[in-house]
C-alpha cells in the first residue's frame, strides 16, 4: 500500500484501530526502509537472519505516539520504585519484526549486547515487548549489563522496572542493578533499593544468596562493617544459607574494620555449616584470633592450612608468632619462625620484634640481648624504633644502664625517632643499677631534646634520687613538675624509709597545702612517726571521752 512489496501485519498483534493509527503515522511521516542497525553499523549482523525481510524495519512511531496508543500502556501497570525514572536521552524505536521466534530474537539481543551495541539490542527488546514477545532471561541480563557498561544507568533502571513487571528478572539481574546504583548513587541508595525489593512478596523469592553477597561486597568496599552485619542478619532471618563467598566477605570486612569478635562469629558459623574456608578467609581469621589473644585457635587454623596444602603468607605467620610471644610461648614462637623460613618467607622487623617480645615475656632477657646482636649483624634487616624499645626493656630489667645508654646513642645517631618511652627505659635501667647521677644526665638530655617527661619518668627519677641520697634533686623535681599525688606519695615514703623524717613531714604538709590526697601507706607512715607525747594525749582524750 505504501510502496512496500508484500508487507503483512499479523492480525493477532494489531487491531483495526491500531492499523489506522499506523496508517496515519505512515501518511504523515515519510516512509523509507532502514537497516536495523543503521546507527551502529550492524548490517552484517541483521543479514545473517533466517529471512531477507529481517534486514528491514518499519519505524511505526516515536515515544510520544506510543504513549497515546492503547499498546503504549505497556508500562503503566509497573510497580513504583523509589528511584525516579528519568527521560530517555535517545528515542525509543519500535521495529516491525518479521521474525517472531522468541529464541532467535533473544539470541540477537544477546549477540548485540556482547558486541557492546546496547541501542540496537534495546530496540529489539522494545519491539519484542511491544509485540507481546518475551526474550529469555539470559538476553535480558546481557542487555542490562551492556546498558550499565556504557553508563546508561537511567535507561537501565527504566528497563529493569519493565523486566521486573514482566517477570524477566533473576538474582543476577538484581545484583547488576544494585551494584550499578551503589557505584553511581552511593551505598545508601543501593540499601534503599534492596530494602524495597525484599519487602515485595513477589520479588522476595528471587532474591537469592548472590544478591546478598553483592550487597555485602558493596558495603565491604566502603568499609561499612555495620551495614555488612545488617545484611548478614537479614540473610539469616530470611532463611538463606551463606556460601563460602559470603563468609569470606564477612570475615575479611570485619577484620579490616577491627571487628575481630564479629569475624570470629562469622568464621565459626562457616565451620558449623560444613563449609571449607578459603585461603583469604583463613589468613584474615588468623589475624583476628591473634589480636584477641587466642593463640591456640590461630595456631590451629595455621595447621589446618598446612594440612590442606595451603601456604600461609608472611603476615599470618607473623601474627601467630606475635600472639604466641605475648602468651610467653617462646618455644612455639620459634617453631613457627622456623616454619616461616621453610615456606620461603624472609623474617622482617615485625618478626624479630615478636621474637624479642616473646623472650622478654618469658623473663629471658639475656637471650633477648643475644638475639638482638644477631639481628644487628644481618644486613637485610633494618632496625626500627620498636625493636630498639623492646631491647631497651631487656636492659631495664637487667639493670644494664651502660648498654641501654649505648643503644640510646645508636638510635639518635641513626636518626630513629626517640620517644619518651625510650628515655624511660634507660632511666629505669639506671634506677635498677642505682645510678642516680647517670639517670639525671639522661633526664637533662631528654629535656634538651624537647621530650616532655611523663609520670613514669618522674617516678623513676624520684626513686633513684632518694635511694642515691640526692635530696635536693628530689625536691627540685617536685617543684618543677605539675602537682601530682603519686609523685608526692613516692617522695614521702622514700624519705621515711631512708630516715629523712623531717623532710618527709615537710613534704606531707606541702602536699596537703596543694590540695593533694595522700594514699593509705603515706598516712600510716605519718601516724607511726607522730611524737610519743602526742600519742599519750590522744589516748587520754579517748579514755576520758564519754560515749
Amino acid at each position: 500500500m505504501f510502496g512496500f512489496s508484500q508487507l503483512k501485519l499479523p492480525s493477532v498483534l494489531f487491531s483495526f484501530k491500531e492499523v489506522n493509527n499506523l496508517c496515519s503515522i505512515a501518511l504523515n511521516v515519510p516512509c523509507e526502509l532502514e537497516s536495523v542497525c543503521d546507527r551502529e553499523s550492524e548490517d552484517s549482523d541483521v543479514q545473517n537472519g533466517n529471512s531477507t525481510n529481517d534486514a528491514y524495519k518499519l519505524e511505526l512511531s516515536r515515544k510520544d505516539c506510543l504513549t497515546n496508543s492503547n499498546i503504549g500502556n505497556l508500562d503503566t501497570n509497573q510497580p513504583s520504585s523509589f528511584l525516579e525514572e528519568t527521560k530517555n536521552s535517545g528515542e525509543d524505536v519500535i521495529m516491525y519484526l518479521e521474525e517472531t521466534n522468541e529464541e532467535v530474537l533473544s539470541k540477537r539481543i544477546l549477540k548485540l549486547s556482547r558486541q557492546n551495541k546496547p541501542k540496537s539490542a534495546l530496540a529489539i527488546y522494545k519491539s519484542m515487548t511491544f509485540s507481546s514477545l518475551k526474550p529469555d532471561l539470559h538476553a535480558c541480563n546481557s542487555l542490562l549489563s551492556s546498558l550499565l557498561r556504557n553508563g546508561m544507568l537511567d535507561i537501565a533502571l527504566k528497563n529493569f522496572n519493565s523486566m521486573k513487571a514482566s517477570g524477566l528478572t533473576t538474582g543476577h539481574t538484581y545484583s547488576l542493578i544494585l551494584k550499578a546504583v551503589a557505584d553511581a548513587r552511593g551505598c545508601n541508595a543501593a540499601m534503599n533499593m534492596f530494602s524495597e525489593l525484599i519487602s515485595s512478596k513477589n520479588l522476595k523469592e528471587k532474591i537469592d544468596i548472590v544478591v546478598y553477597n553483592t550487597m555485602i561486597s558493596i558495603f565491604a568496599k566502603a568499609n561499612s562493617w555495620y551495614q555488612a552485619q545488617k545484611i548478614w542478619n537479614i540473610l539469616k532471618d530470611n532463611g538463606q544459607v551463606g556460601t563460602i563467598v559470603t563468609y569470606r566477605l564477612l570475615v575479611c570486612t570485619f577484620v579490616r574494620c577491627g571487628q575481630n569478635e564479629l569475624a570470629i562469629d562469622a568464621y565459626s558459623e562457616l565451620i558449623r555449616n560444613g563449609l571449607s574456608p578459603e585461603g583469604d578467609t583463613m589468613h584474615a581469621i588468623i589475624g583476628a584470633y591473634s589480636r584477641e589473644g587466642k593463640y591456640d585457635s590461630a595456631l590451629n587454623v595455621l595447621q589446618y592450612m598446612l594440612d590442606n596444602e595451603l601456604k600461609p603468607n608472611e603476615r599470618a605467620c607473623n601474627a601467630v608468632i606475635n600472639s604466641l610471644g605475648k602468651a610467653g610461648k617462646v618455644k612455639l614462637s620459634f617453631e613457627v619462625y622456623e616454619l616461616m623460613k621453610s615456606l620461603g618467607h624472609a623474617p622482617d622487623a615485625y618478626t624479630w620484634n615478636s621474637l624479642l617480645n616473646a623472650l622478654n615475656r618469658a623473663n629471658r632477657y639475656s637471650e633477648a640481648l643475644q638475639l638482638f646482636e644477631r639481628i644487628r649483624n644481618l644486613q637485610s634487616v633494618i632496625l626500627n624504633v620498636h625493636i630498639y624499645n623492646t631491647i631497651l626493656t631487656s636492659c631495664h630489667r637487667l639493670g644494664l644502664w651502660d648498654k641501654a645508654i649505648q643503644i640510646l646513642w645508636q638510635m639518635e645517631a641513626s636518626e630513629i625517632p626517640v620517644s619518651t618511652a625510650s628515655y624511660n627505659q634507660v632511666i629505669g635501667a639506671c634506677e635498677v643499677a642505682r645510678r642516680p647521677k647517670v639517670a639525671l644526665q639522661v633526664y637533662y638530655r631528654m629535656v634538651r631534646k624537647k621530650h616532655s617527661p611523663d609520670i613514669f619518668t618522674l617516678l623513676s627519677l624520684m626513686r633513684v634520687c632518694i635511694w642515691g641520697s640526692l635530696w635536693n634533686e628530689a625536691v627540685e623535681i617536685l617543684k618543677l613538675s605539675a602537682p601530682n599525688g603519686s609523685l608526692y606519695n613516692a617522695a614521702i615514703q622514700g624519705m621515711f624509709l631512708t630516715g629523712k623524717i623531717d623532710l618527709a613531714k615537710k613534704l606531707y604538709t606541702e602536699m596537703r597545702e596543694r590540695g593533694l590526697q595522700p594514699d593509705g601507706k603515706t598516712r600510716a607512715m605519718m601516724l607511726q612517726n607522730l611524737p610519743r607525747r602526742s600519742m599519750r594525749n590522744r589516748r587520754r582524750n579517748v579514755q576520758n571521752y564519754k560515749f
Side-chain angles (χ1 to χ4, degrees):
M1 178 170 62
F2 302 111
F4 300 111
S5 60
Q6 298 181 352
L7 177 62
K8 297 180 179 180
L9 299 179
S11 59
V12 178
L13 298 179
F14 299 101
S15 65
F16 180 75
K17 182 179 180 180
E18 292 164 352
V19 173
N20 287 336
N21 290 336
L22 297 177
C23 292
S24 62
I25 295 171
L27 290 173
N28 293 324
V29 181
C31 298
E32 58 183 63
L33 292 177
E34 297 179 357
S35 175
V36 176
C37 304
D38 186 35
R39 293 183 182 179
E40 298 179 86
S41 302
E42 297 170 0
D43 296 334
S44 60
D45 177 60
V46 178
Q47 290 174 0
N48 290 330
N50 295 330
S51 173
T52 57
N53 292 331
D54 292 340
Y56 302 98
K57 70 175 182 176
L58 174 62
E59 183 174 342
L60 300 178
S61 72
R62 298 297 185 180
K63 184 175 180 180
D64 295 338
C65 296
L66 287 174
T67 54
N68 295 327
S69 65
N70 294 331
I71 301 176
N73 295 327
L74 181 64
D75 296 336
T76 57
N77 296 324
Q78 294 178 6
S80 60
S81 174
F82 81 100
L83 292 169
E84 182 180 358
E85 295 181 3
T86 58
K87 293 184 178 180
N88 191 351
S89 58
E91 294 181 348
D92 291 338
V93 178
I94 303 299
M95 300 179 298
Y96 168 68
L97 299 174
E98 180 71 20
E99 177 63 66
T100 59
N101 188 302
E102 294 178 345
E103 183 179 356
V104 173
L105 294 173
S106 296
K107 288 182 178 179
R108 292 180 184 175
I109 293 175
L110 185 63
K111 181 178 180 180
L112 291 170
S113 299
R114 289 176 175 175
Q115 291 177 346
N116 211 27
K117 298 174 181 178
K119 293 181 181 179
S120 300
L122 183 60
I124 297 178
Y125 170 79
K126 290 283 186 181
S127 302
M128 288 185 70
T129 56
F130 180 84
S131 304
S132 300
L133 299 175
K134 276 192 173 184
D136 60 30
L137 298 176
H138 190 25
C140 292
N141 288 337
S142 184
L143 170 61
L144 196 64
S145 178
S146 180
L147 291 170
L148 295 173
R149 193 166 54 246
N150 286 273
M152 305 165 68
L153 177 60
D154 291 333
I155 301 176
L157 286 171
K158 181 178 178 180
N159 284 275
F160 167 71
N161 288 330
S162 173
M163 294 173 185
K164 186 172 59 174
S166 303
L168 298 174
T169 55
T170 63
H172 182 57
T173 313
Y174 300 120
S175 296
L176 286 173
I177 204 70
L178 286 169
K179 186 177 183 302
V181 169
D183 292 339
R185 304 181 182 179
C187 297
N188 291 334
M191 187 63 186
N192 292 336
M193 187 177 190
F194 176 76
S195 300
E196 181 182 338
L197 292 173
I198 61 175
S199 63
S200 174
K201 294 182 180 180
N202 297 329
L203 300 178
K204 190 174 182 180
E205 297 178 355
K206 296 184 179 181
I207 306 298
D208 56 14
I209 191 62
V210 176
V211 182
Y212 287 99
N213 289 345
T214 300
M215 290 301 300
I216 295 173
S217 67
I218 288 172
F219 294 118
K221 184 178 179 181
N223 287 328
S224 180
W225 65 268
Y226 177 77
Q227 293 286 15
Q229 182 192 15
K230 186 176 180 180
I231 299 296
W232 182 26
N233 292 332
I234 295 174
L235 181 154
K236 293 187 288 186
D237 293 340
N238 290 339
Q240 294 283 345
V241 179
T243 63
I244 295 176
V245 176
T246 310
Y247 295 108
R248 174 174 59 81
L249 289 169
L250 288 172
V251 171
C252 293
T253 302
F254 291 147
V255 171
R256 188 169 61 252
C257 296
Q259 302 298 317
N260 297 314
E261 293 183 359
L262 286 175
I264 293 172
D265 291 341
Y267 183 79
S268 300
E269 186 175 296
L270 180 151
I271 299 300
R272 287 196 304 270
N273 291 341
L275 300 175
S276 299
E278 296 177 335
D280 292 343
T281 308
M282 287 186 283
H283 285 143
I285 201 63
I286 285 175
Y289 279 134
S290 300
R291 281 186 282 273
E292 290 296 309
K294 299 181 179 181
Y295 64 89
D296 50 347
S297 298
L299 196 59
N300 289 336
V301 176
L302 187 70
Q303 186 61 50
Y304 179 85
M305 294 185 70
L306 295 173
D307 294 340
N308 288 272
E309 298 182 354
L310 296 174
K311 182 179 179 181
N313 60 22
E314 179 182 353
R315 189 171 183 178
C317 294
N318 281 337
V320 176
I321 293 173
N322 187 49
S323 180
L324 291 169
K326 289 181 178 178
K329 305 293 182 180
V330 179
K331 183 178 179 181
L332 285 175
S333 297
F334 278 89
E335 287 180 358
V336 177
Y337 162 70
E338 294 296 334
L339 171 66
M340 178 180 177
K341 290 197 302 182
S342 66
L343 293 173
H345 300 311
D348 55 10
Y350 187 89
T351 312
W352 296 119
N353 189 52
S354 299
L355 292 172
L356 290 171
N357 272 319
L359 292 170
N360 282 346
R361 288 295 181 97
N363 299 327
R364 296 162 64 171
Y365 305 112
S366 299
E367 295 180 39
L369 287 169
Q370 294 174 6
L371 179 60
F372 174 74
E373 294 300 329
R374 286 172 48 197
I375 298 170
R376 191 157 57 175
N377 293 330
L378 296 175
Q379 299 294 331
S380 59
V381 179
I382 300 177
L383 301 179
N384 57 24
V385 64
H386 303 292
I387 293 180
Y388 276 114
N389 284 341
T390 301
I391 204 62
L392 283 175
T393 301
S394 303
C395 296
H396 177 188
R397 300 301 181 187
L398 295 174
L400 299 177
W401 62 273
D402 50 349
K403 182 72 172 178
I405 291 177
Q406 180 184 2
I407 293 174
L408 185 66
W409 299 163
Q410 290 175 0
M411 292 176 68
E412 293 182 348
S414 302
E415 297 183 353
I416 294 176
V418 183
S419 62
T420 300
S422 304
Y423 286 104
N424 287 349
Q425 295 291 352
V426 178
I427 294 173
C430 296
E431 178 188 353
V432 174
R434 301 293 177 88
R435 295 282 181 170
K437 294 183 179 181
V438 179
L440 284 171
Q441 290 177 2
V442 175
Y443 169 72
Y444 295 142
R445 183 179 183 84
M446 173 184 177
V447 174
R448 287 196 302 271
K449 292 288 185 179
K450 301 183 184 297
H451 291 283
S452 301
D454 55 19
I455 186 61
F456 300 104
T457 313
L458 299 174
L459 285 173
S460 184
L461 275 175
M462 182 62 64
R463 290 190 295 264
V464 72
C465 286
I466 289 173
W467 290 111
S469 301
L470 300 179
W471 318 115
N472 294 332
E473 287 79 358
V475 174
E476 189 69 18
I477 291 172
L478 286 174
K479 290 180 179 180
L480 296 177
S481 60
N484 186 280
S486 299
L487 194 58
Y488 269 94
N489 284 324
I492 293 169
Q493 292 166 20
M495 299 295 183
F496 274 123
L497 293 174
T498 53
K500 291 291 182 177
I501 298 175
D502 293 337
L503 185 55
K505 292 178 180 179
K506 181 180 178 181
L507 292 177
Y508 181 82
T509 303
E510 181 181 328
M511 176 183 184
R512 298 309 300 266
E513 289 176 351
R514 301 184 76 170
L516 301 176
Q517 295 296 325
D519 59 15
K521 188 175 181 180
T522 302
R523 290 195 188 96
M525 287 182 170
M526 286 298 299
L527 289 173
Q528 290 173 3
N529 289 276
L530 285 175
R532 291 185 178 180
R533 183 176 298 176
S534 299
M535 293 295 293
R536 285 197 300 268
N537 292 336
R538 181 176 295 180
R539 293 193 190 97
R540 189 182 299 113
N541 292 335
V542 171
Q543 292 173 359
N544 295 334
Y545 185 79
K546 295 181 180 180
F547 293 93

